[in-house]
């Protein structure tokens, strides 16, 4: 025989009840003997509790809620039965129960008292109503079924709200009852009776337990718990969207996960099944053909040491500290004794080996009471200053990382802590049982969802990592990046196990975001259609508020507006990737502050495209420095425009003509003076100097002007060219002088011995820049290890596609760092 249990989620609507009856029918058609436990219809127990509370407070709205409750059951009858006579017959039974419920509520209303005993009685109506309706409907559909009120058989103590079962009596009752009742039993879950025959409940979610109690008493071959998910998942799917179902877990693992919040199965359920070694299978009513999860003595086929991550979302921490606790025997037992007297359950305990402090987690409703009873217990020690005041901290969550195999696998906690640290999540307390079945962590509740996702990513999907990207400025470079991500995502997922999810985009007018990832293909249309006007502060607030793991901001603007927020962003444990040079060329103090923020919050600030676009200039320099090398000299041409102009000048005899050619070919800014001022190249030199570990400011770079003051101040571009032409002679003169020495002219950025400059230089054929062509960039680092020749990097150093490629490389570097 099999025991099947259907939870409220399986009987949420009349249509679903009909599907469940279909599932039962298929078992019977296959000759499988079954009996079935049902919960109340979905949310009915919650409604009964809320009704009771409103009634005792004489809040008249209880009448409206009672009416809704009646309607849920009447509608089910109406939907499930065809004939009027059938509807009337079942309706009568249901109305009788509802009238009784109304009378009891009226009693509560009058006496203004709601005892745990009365509340249990009121809650029992949920299961009694659902099972009455379902058993009747089954009979009308030709399946011979019998309503079984489990209060007849399940006997318990008198802990109302959370009864302890008397198995000796209960098992005997069940065995005997089933000897004479051969029809399919439709059993009310969740309820039982005390020795005095008072109605009692087995704790919220207790129908699972009922199934196990009946299953064990009847020596069932399997207990099936039918719910609304594909079994036990690696985490609660409402909090971790990547959670996936496990094919098997052990009883102990299931017990541990459910104790720490995995609502999918009620914690005591495992015990009766384990005693009789009856396997429990969790199945999905909405996906009946799926195999689900098997809970048994055997482990699953998955290769995970960790099986699941669950959480208790709202707890309060109590911290008891004091020098008088060190080495004193019996402190812990007095703390627990004081709490036990008030029936306060302690969920987690940690004590530092110095014994100077003890930290306890309890349910939030007991926070103040716990403080009171502990302070009362230690009142003399507190008076004498041996123990400090008890500190209560609310708004915390416990996360439990559960898995039977963790015992044999070193490094799990290290991995978990590292992942949390790199995402800026502070762990407030840690506890690990010596069985190593569970590592429990306390974090602030506001970080719970992020922490669960970070842990899930690192412990289950370490091979497949998701980066959450927020892009500001989808202009030339930004849109090239989005295109690249679209093209490369499948390859990256396969080859580097990195999944890049673009979560938010903002341009100058509009912004939009979607936590589940936006469709990169249609980003432009979606951005245009977005109703949110662009607002940098709101965008950043949204990005921080989402608390997504592995969040990265990509700033593709060239302005300082976003840069002002960099520190705040890094402080929120969000990494930054940018081709924007402004942050690195402000004062040295601000430059270092950003690095410190990134270090402190374990995130990355990457700007490899600041110099030479995708050329590996900055990252090579970083490598040299971290390997202990020292920079002696930097020489470079970091401007495609200036490179082109001077390379072309090798063949032409007019500087102004060459500038014009550069402009016609699209190498210059709309106003070529923006290139000729050399400021952009100076900024790049400054970044390389600073990256070499040298404190330097932009104003200390000497810049040789390529144009006269008159040319610079000309009010139109035409006039600018005229003035430039007037100066042609001077440069051509220099070119001739150089040629006489077999040299060419180049405009070079240089740093050496504490001096930095941008100037026209004569280069001989030995110089690594002598043969430069077109608009190439080049840099030569003379270092302690690379003196002759210097380490030289040369290639195309500009263009939206190149820059986008460099940004993507930086994003992947962050992915590697996240591990
Ligand atoms: P039922 O009404 O069938 O008893 P519950 O709502 O009590 O269903 O339990 C099922 C729910 O438990 C799922 O919908 C899911 O949101 C939640 N849940 C929490 N943790 C887990 C987990 N690790 N695996 C599966 N489900 C989980
Ligand atoms: N109906 C009860 C509850 O909501 C029992 C259960 O669902 O298992 O807690
Ligand atoms: Mg449940």
């Amino acid at each position: 025989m099999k025991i099947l249990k259907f939870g409220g989620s399986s009987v949420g609507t009349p249509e679903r009840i009909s599907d469940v009856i279909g599932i039962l029918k298929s078992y019977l058609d296959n000759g499988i003997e079954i009996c079935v436990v049902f919960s109340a219809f979905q949310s009915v127990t919650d409604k009964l509790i809320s009704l009771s509370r409103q009634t005792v407070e004489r809040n008249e709205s209880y009448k409206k809620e009672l009416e809704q409750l009646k309607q849920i059951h009447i509608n089910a009858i109406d939907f499930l039965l065809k004939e009027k006579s059938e509807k009337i017959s079942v309706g009568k039974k249901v109305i009788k129960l509802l009238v009784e419920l109304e009378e009891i509520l009226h009693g509560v209303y009058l006496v203004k008292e709601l005892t745990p005993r009365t509340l249990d009685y009121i809650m029992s109506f949920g299961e009694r109503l659902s099972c009455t309706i379902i058993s009747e409907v089954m009979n009308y559909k030709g399946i011979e079924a019998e309503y079984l009120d489990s209060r007849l058989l399940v006997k318990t103590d008198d802990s109302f709200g959370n009864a302890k079962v008397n198995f000796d009596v209960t098992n005997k009752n069940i065995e005997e009852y089933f000897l004479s009742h051969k029809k399919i039993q439709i059993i009310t879950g969740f309820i039982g009776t005390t020795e005095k025959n008072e109605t009692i409940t087995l704790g919220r979610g207790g129908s699972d337990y009922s199934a196990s109690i009946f299953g064990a008493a009847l020596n069932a071959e399997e207990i099936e718990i039918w719910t609304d998910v594909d079994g036990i998942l690696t985490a609660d799917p409402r909090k971790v969207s990547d959670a996936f179902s496990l094919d098997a877990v052990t009883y102990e693992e299931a017990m541990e996960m459910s104790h720490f919040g995995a609502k999918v199965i009620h914690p005591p359920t495992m015990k009766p099944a384990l005693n009789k070694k009856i396997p429990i299978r969790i199945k999905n009513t909405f996906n009946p053909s799926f195999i689900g999860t098997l809970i048994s003595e055997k482990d699953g086929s998955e290769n995970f040491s960790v099986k699941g991550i669950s959480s208790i979302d709202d707890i309060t921490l109590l911290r008891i500290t004091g020098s008088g606790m060190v080495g004193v025997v019996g402190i812990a037992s007095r703390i627990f004794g004081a709490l036990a007297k008030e029936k306060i359950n302690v969920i987690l305990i940690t004590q530092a080996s110095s014994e100077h402090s003890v930290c306890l987690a309890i349910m939030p409703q007991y926070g103040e009471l716990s403080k009171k009873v502990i302070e009362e217990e230690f009142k003399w020690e507190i008076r004498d200053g041996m123990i400090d005041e008890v500190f209560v901290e609310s708004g915390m969550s416990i996360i439990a990382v559960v898995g039977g195999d963790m015992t044999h696998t070193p490094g799990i906690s290290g991995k978990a802590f590292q992942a949390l640290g790199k995402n800026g999540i502070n762990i407030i307390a840690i506890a690990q049982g010596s069985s190593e079945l569970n590592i429990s962590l306390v974090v602030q509740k506001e970080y719970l969802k992020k922490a669960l996702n970070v842990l899930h990513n690192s412990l289950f999907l370490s091979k497949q990592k998701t980066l959450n990207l927020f892009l500001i400025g989808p202009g030339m470079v930004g849109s090239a990046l989005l295109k690249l991500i679209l093209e490369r995502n499948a390859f990256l997922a396969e080859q580097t196990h990195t999944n890049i999810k673009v979560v938010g985009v903002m341009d100058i007018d509009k912004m939009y975001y979607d936590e589940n990832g936006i469709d990169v293909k249609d980003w432009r249309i979606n951005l245009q259609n977005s109703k949110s006007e662009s607002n940098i502060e709101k965008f950043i607030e949204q990005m921080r508020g989402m608390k997504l793991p592995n969040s990265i901001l990509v700033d593709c603007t060239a302005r300082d507006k976003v840069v002002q927020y960099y520190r705040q962003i890094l402080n929120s444990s969000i990494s930054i990737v940018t081709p924007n040079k402004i942050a690195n060329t402000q004062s040295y103090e601000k430059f270092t502050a950003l690095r410190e923020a990134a270090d402190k919050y374990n995130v990355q600030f990457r700007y490899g495209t600041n110099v030479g676009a995708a050329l590996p200039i900055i990252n090579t320099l970083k490598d040299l420095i971290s390997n202990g090398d020292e920079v002696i000299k930097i020489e470079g041409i970091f401007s495609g425009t200036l490179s082109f102009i001077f390379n072309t000048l090798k063949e032409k005899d007019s500087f102004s003509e060459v500038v014009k050619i550069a402009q016609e070919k699209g190498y210059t800014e709309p106003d070529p003076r923006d290139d000729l001022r050399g400021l952009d190249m100076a900024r790049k030199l400054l970044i390389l100097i600073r990256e070499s570990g040298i404190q330097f400011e932009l104003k200390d770079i000497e810049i040789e002007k390529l144009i006269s003051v008159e040319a610079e101040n000309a009010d139109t571009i035409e006039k600018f060219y005229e003035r430039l032409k007037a100066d042609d002679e001077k440069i051509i003169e220099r070119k001739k002088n150089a040629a006489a020495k077999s040299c060419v002219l180049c405009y070079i950025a240089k740093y050496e011995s504490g001096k930095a400059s941008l100037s026209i230089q004569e280069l001989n054929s030995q110089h690594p820049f002598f043969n430069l062509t077109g608009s190439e960039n080049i840099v030569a680092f003379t270092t302690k290890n690379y003196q002759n020749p210097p380490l030289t990097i040369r290639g195309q150093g500009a263009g939206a596609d190149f820059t986008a490629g460099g940004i993507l490389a930086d994003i992947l570097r962050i992915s590697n760092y996240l591990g």
Side-chain angles (χ1 to χ4, degrees):
M1 175 200 268
K2 282 192 182 193
I3 306 283
L4 275 57
K5 176 257 163 174
F6 291 88
S9 60
S10 300
V11 285
T13 61
E15 290 84 348
R16 289 185 184 172
I17 300 170
S18 188
D19 292 344
V20 169
I21 296 176
I23 293 174
L24 297 180
K25 204 158 178 313
S26 72
Y27 273 69
L28 298 169
D29 291 347
N30 286 315
I32 302 170
E33 206 189 330
I34 54 173
C35 68
V36 195
V37 174
F38 279 98
S39 300
F41 292 159
Q42 192 162 39
S43 70
V44 164
T45 312
D46 290 339
K47 283 204 160 55
L48 288 165
I49 296 171
S50 122
L51 257 176
S52 311
R53 304 230 186 279
Q54 290 173 38
T55 314
V56 75
E57 287 162 11
R58 294 207 172 167
N59 177 345
E60 295 297 329
S61 60
Y62 90 89
K63 291 187 179 140
K64 210 168 127 213
E65 190 142 5
L66 180 62
E67 203 44 50
Q68 283 173 2
L69 193 92
K70 286 183 184 170
Q71 219 45 57
I72 290 173
H73 295 92
I74 303 290
N75 287 349
I77 298 172
D78 213 35
F79 179 90
L80 292 164
L81 293 169
K82 277 206 190 77
E83 301 299 327
K84 201 171 171 195
S85 59
E86 297 171 354
K87 292 184 194 194
I88 291 173
S89 157
V90 183
K92 271 186 187 160
K93 293 187 181 175
V94 166
I95 300 277
K96 195 166 164 244
L97 282 168
L98 289 168
V99 168
E100 191 191 337
L101 171 64
E102 194 165 358
E103 281 168 0
I104 291 160
L105 287 169
H106 188 60
V108 171
Y109 185 89
L110 291 178
V111 297
K112 284 216 265 180
E113 192 180 63
L114 179 67
T115 60
R117 178 185 282 108
T118 312
L119 182 61
D120 270 9
Y121 190 61
I122 293 173
M123 281 198 282
S124 76
F125 280 89
E127 273 64 14
R128 288 156 63 199
L129 283 161
S130 67
C131 288
T132 301
I133 295 172
I134 292 167
S135 58
E136 291 287 334
V137 168
M138 283 174 73
N139 277 307
Y140 282 117
K141 292 199 181 294
I143 308 169
E144 280 197 24
E146 215 169 54
Y147 170 77
L148 167 51
D149 189 332
S150 54
R151 291 177 303 169
L152 282 177
L153 311 176
V154 177
K155 297 310 260 185
T156 73
D157 71 355
D158 61 357
S159 314
F160 289 95
N162 200 11
K164 307 280 164 298
V165 175
N166 179 338
F167 279 97
D168 290 342
V169 183
T170 303
N171 287 347
K172 206 159 127 283
N173 287 347
I174 295 175
E175 278 165 40
E176 275 174 20
Y177 187 88
F178 274 76
L179 286 177
S180 55
H181 291 82
K182 294 294 175 196
K183 288 184 187 168
I184 300 167
Q185 299 298 310
I186 303 300
I187 308 168
T188 56
F190 185 47
I191 53 176
T193 38
T194 64
E195 271 178 27
K196 291 188 200 153
N197 271 336
E198 292 161 314
T199 299
I200 198 162
T201 65
L202 303 177
R204 292 302 311 270
S207 296
D208 300 334
Y209 192 25
S210 306
S212 181
I213 294 166
F214 277 88
L218 295 169
N219 289 315
E221 68 185 87
E222 192 167 87
I223 298 161
E224 291 185 354
I225 307 286
W226 287 74
T227 182
D228 61 350
V229 284
D230 275 342
I232 298 190
L233 311 191
T234 46
D236 185 344
R238 281 171 299 193
K239 298 187 187 107
V240 178
S241 57
D242 294 332
F244 53 90
S245 77
L246 295 158
D247 67 1
V249 297
T250 64
Y251 293 112
E252 288 80 11
E253 287 169 337
M255 218 170 328
E256 203 74 13
M257 276 179 79
S258 63
H259 263 301
F260 280 89
K263 192 185 168 215
V264 64
I265 189 155
H266 188 52
T269 309
M270 268 55 73
K271 204 68 205 293
L274 169 67
N275 288 344
K276 292 273 182 87
K277 304 207 185 329
I278 300 170
I280 304 173
R281 190 173 284 283
I282 315 280
K283 299 260 304 170
N284 188 352
T285 311
F286 305 97
N287 187 11
S289 59
F290 188 75
I291 184 112
T293 303
L294 186 71
I295 307 173
S296 72
E297 288 187 304
K298 286 191 292 295
D299 211 348
S301 61
E302 288 101 347
N303 262 335
F304 303 118
S305 331
V306 175
K307 285 295 166 49
I309 303 168
S310 51
S311 61
I312 303 178
D313 298 5
D314 207 357
I315 56 124
T316 289
L317 278 189
L318 291 182
R319 229 186 286 270
I320 306 137
T321 54
S323 54
M325 291 162 60
V326 182
V328 179
V329 178
I331 297 273
S333 102
R334 281 173 64 196
I335 296 174
F336 299 130
L339 294 173
K341 251 190 253 157
E342 295 292 335
K343 294 201 162 151
I344 299 170
N345 183 32
V346 178
I347 308 166
L348 171 145
I349 311 155
T350 64
Q351 180 178 26
S353 60
S354 73
E355 297 181 38
H356 182 264
S357 75
V358 177
C359 179
L360 311 173
I362 50 166
M363 292 312 280
Q365 62 269 34
Y366 301 121
E368 283 313 313
L369 178 62
S370 304
K371 176 179 161 74
K372 208 171 115 208
V373 298
I374 296 172
E375 286 184 347
E376 175 60 28
E377 173 69 35
F378 292 98
K379 59 174 182 265
W380 303 117
E381 286 88 345
I382 291 174
R383 194 200 61 184
D384 296 342
M386 306 295 277
I387 286 183
D388 309 328
E389 176 189 8
V390 176
F391 190 62
V392 182
E393 219 173 340
S394 56
M396 303 282 158
S397 303
I398 298 184
I399 297 176
V401 177
V402 176
D405 255 8
M406 296 200 300
T407 333
H408 311 293
T409 321
I412 303 249
S413 41
K415 201 168 175 186
F417 300 156
Q418 202 179 38
L420 291 173
K422 282 180 181 171
N423 276 281
I425 298 162
N426 193 22
I427 305 169
I428 294 154
I430 305 163
Q432 179 177 19
S434 58
S435 70
E436 293 189 42
L437 191 64
N438 170 345
I439 302 169
S440 306
L441 315 167
V442 178
V443 297
Q444 271 175 331
K445 189 175 173 190
E446 60 173 307
Y447 289 106
L448 174 66
K449 196 170 162 207
K450 182 172 180 182
L452 287 170
N453 279 280
V454 164
L455 288 171
H456 193 265
N457 261 328
S458 85
L459 298 175
F460 288 105
L461 312 171
S462 52
K463 287 201 187 124
Q464 202 63 47
K465 202 174 317 138
T466 298
L467 306 178
N468 292 296
L469 228 68
F470 296 82
L471 174 72
I472 303 185
M476 294 273 280
V477 172
S479 58
L481 176 67
L482 289 170
K483 190 164 155 268
L484 196 59
I485 290 174
L486 189 65
E487 286 164 9
R488 306 286 292 164
N489 234 348
F491 171 84
L492 293 174
E494 201 176 310
Q495 296 294 316
T496 66
H497 306 293
T498 299
N499 175 26
I500 300 179
K501 197 155 88 179
V502 181
V503 186
V505 178
M506 180 174 104
D507 71 6
I508 200 139
D509 300 316
K510 297 278 185 70
M511 59 185 186
Y512 84 114
Y513 19 72
D514 180 348
E515 217 178 296
N516 298 314
I518 62 178
D519 187 349
V520 179
K521 192 163 43 66
D522 297 327
W523 72 267
R524 208 182 284 276
I525 296 167
N526 290 335
L527 189 61
Q528 275 162 11
N529 294 340
S530 166
K531 299 209 163 46
S532 311
E533 300 287 314
S534 117
N535 176 325
I536 175 87
E537 273 172 16
K538 273 201 192 135
F539 188 81
I540 292 173
E541 204 37 56
Q542 187 72 23
M543 172 171 77
R544 297 166 70 199
M546 280 191 203
K547 295 202 167 63
L548 296 176
N550 308 336
S551 294
I552 302 174
L553 171 78
V554 182
D555 172 17
C556 284
T557 70
R559 291 168 299 145
D560 70 345
K561 195 128 202 256
V562 190
V563 174
Q564 296 165 20
Y565 296 92
Y566 278 10
R567 229 162 114 188
Q568 186 186 336
I569 293 166
L570 296 169
N571 289 355
S572 314
S573 299
I574 296 170
S575 294
I576 299 176
V577 175
T578 185
N580 185 338
K581 291 180 280 293
I582 295 174
N584 286 329
T585 51
Q586 342 170 67
S587 71
Y588 190 74
E589 196 189 335
K590 287 189 178 162
F591 172 87
T592 40
L594 283 180
R595 274 139 195 86
E596 279 163 16
D599 277 355
K600 180 162 176 205
Y601 292 93
N602 277 313
V603 283
Q604 297 240 307
F605 172 41
R606 293 237 164 231
Y607 42 84
T609 48
N610 272 189
V611 182
L615 290 178
I617 296 178
I618 291 187
N619 289 305
T620 304
L621 184 55
K622 272 185 197 292
D623 285 346
L624 293 178
I625 300 300
S626 55
N627 292 341
D629 204 351
E630 275 168 37
V631 170
I632 297 167
K633 180 158 94 176
I634 302 169
E635 277 187 302
I637 298 170
F638 313 123
S639 155
T641 318
L642 294 176
S643 176
F644 177 83
I645 287 172
F646 280 85
N647 291 334
T648 312
L649 194 68
K650 288 172 192 164
E651 278 104 46
K652 302 266 180 200
D653 276 340
S654 158
F655 186 66
S656 57
E657 190 194 334
V658 171
V659 174
K660 203 160 215 153
I661 296 172
Q663 180 169 27
E664 279 159 12
K665 286 195 178 254
Y667 283 126
T668 68
E669 295 293 322
D671 184 340
R673 281 171 288 191
D674 290 338
D675 299 292
L676 295 168
R677 279 187 197 104
L679 194 62
D680 184 57
M681 192 146 127
R683 284 209 168 103
K684 292 173 182 168
L685 177 64
L686 177 69
I687 294 169
L688 296 182
I689 297 171
R690 288 178 167 180
E691 209 58 58
S692 310
I694 298 157
Q695 186 170 345
F696 217 85
E697 298 292 347
L698 192 61
K699 66 176 174 33
D700 296 326
I701 300 178
E702 266 178 49
I703 302 177
E704 179 185 348
K705 297 222 169 219
L706 290 172
I707 46 176
S708 63
V709 178
E710 292 76 26
E712 172 135 36
N713 294 338
D715 43 5
T716 63
I717 305 231
E718 285 72 38
K719 282 196 184 129
F720 154 71
Y721 272 116
E722 276 169 29
R723 303 261 161 89
L724 197 63
K725 208 169 168 91
D727 293 332
D728 267 352
E729 274 301 301
K730 281 188 226 153
I731 290 204
I732 296 312
E733 188 64 32
R734 284 179 74 172
K735 184 184 155 183
K736 280 187 191 146
N737 286 342
K741 292 177 244 166
S742 307
C743 290
V744 293
L745 292 186
C746 257
Y747 192 64
I748 291 183
K750 185 168 159 184
Y751 169 82
E752 193 174 14
S753 309
K755 285 209 163 56
S757 62
L758 260 57
S759 61
I760 299 175
Q761 301 272 312
E762 293 180 354
L763 309 180
N764 66 28
S765 60
Q766 300 306 304
H767 196 279
F769 299 1
F770 184 85
N771 289 319
L772 204 66
T773 58
S775 61
E776 285 175 310
N777 276 209
I778 191 161
V779 65
F781 293 117
T782 307
T783 69
K784 212 170 64 187
N785 298 337
Y786 295 92
Q787 302 227 3
N788 205 5
L791 189 144
T792 306
I793 300 161
R794 167 179 174 176
Q796 207 48 253
D801 288 337
F802 282 107
T803 310
I807 295 173
L808 185 60
D810 271 350
I811 292 171
L812 295 174
R813 281 187 188 96
I814 295 183
S815 175
N816 286 340
Y817 164 79
L818 291 167

